[in-house]
Each structure stands twice: as C-alpha cells, then as structure tokens.
Amino acid sequence: MSLILISITSIVDYVKDRKFIELFSLVKEESLPVIRGKLGATQTISVWEMVVGDVVLLGTGDMVPADCLVINSTNLKVDEPYSLNKGVSKGEEDPVLLAGSLVSNGQCKALVCVVGA
C-alpha cells in the first residue's frame, strides 16, 4: 500500500515540476529605457532591476512594467488589464498607469511608484 502511495506522490511531483519549468520558460527577460541618476542619462535595464523612482520611457506597443505616474505624454492611450475600456486616454487628467497595461498609442515618460505589487 505504501509503495502505491509513494509512486502516486512521485508522479504528481514530477508533473508539477514539469509544469513549473514550462511556466518559468515563458517569463521573458525584458529590458526598457529608463532615466536614472543625477545626470539624467538614459540607460537600458532589465525590468527586474527597476526600482521606485526610475523614470521609464514608454511607447506604442510597450507593456507598463509597474504602477506609474505619467510625467509627460504625447497622444497617450492605454489598454488597461482589468478594464473593458480599451484605448483609455492618459495624461494630465488621468496620470495613473497600472502595471500590465499596454500602450496602444503615443509615448510618455512615467515615474515608477510601485514595483512588484
């Protein structure tokens, strides 16, 4: 009886490990341009190295990597992840960009407010 239980547990663990490896391979190593430091120089960093206070430069087709506040923008429209509204205008009137939103039009500079929430 215990041999059957051990076999079933081993099979279940193996399936879970395979699924984890499959899902982990889907995580992309994405990089994005940020303005960081006193000199205001632009550099490209991994999304995993981003910190609160970075200023990210986003354009059409970019995914918003963290919750941000728009500093300035040009014709900015985003598709928010948990909203039925597509192409929501962002800027002075509504400066909040949510992590996971997709920039559908325009470009902006945005201040990173929350990372990994």
Side-chain angles (χ1 to χ4, degrees):
M1 184 66 168
S2 63
L3 184 59
I4 294 172
L5 184 59
I6 291 171
S7 297
I8 291 172
T9 304
S10 297
I11 291 170
V12 169
D13 286 344
Y14 176 77
V15 170
K16 284 182 182 179
D17 286 345
R18 297 298 297 171
K19 187 65 176 175
F20 174 77
I21 291 169
E22 179 184 332
L23 290 173
F24 192 72
S25 69
L26 296 176
V27 176
K28 292 186 208 173
E29 184 58 37
E30 295 182 35
S31 58
L32 69 153
V34 298
I35 299 173
R36 189 185 257 190
K38 292 182 182 178
L39 300 177
T42 302
Q43 55 185 292
T44 302
I45 64 165
S46 166
V47 293
W48 305 107
E49 296 172 359
M50 190 175 45
V51 295
V52 172
D54 282 342
V55 175
V56 294
L57 306 173
L58 301 171
T60 302
D62 288 339
M63 176 129 348
V64 179
D67 292 346
C68 299
L69 288 176
V70 175
I71 297 171
N72 63 32
S73 65
T74 306
N75 301 322
L76 184 63
K77 293 187 185 293
V78 299
D79 296 337
E80 294 181 333
Y82 305 109
S83 173
L84 296 176
N85 299 328
K86 300 296 180 198
V88 177
S89 292
K90 296 289 181 169
E92 289 182 17
E93 313 229 339
D94 184 9
V96 178
L97 296 176
L98 300 176
S101 297
L102 179 67
V103 178
S104 58
N105 188 39
Q107 57 189 5
C108 73
K109 286 183 185 177
L111 178 67
V112 175
C113 297
V114 179
V115 177

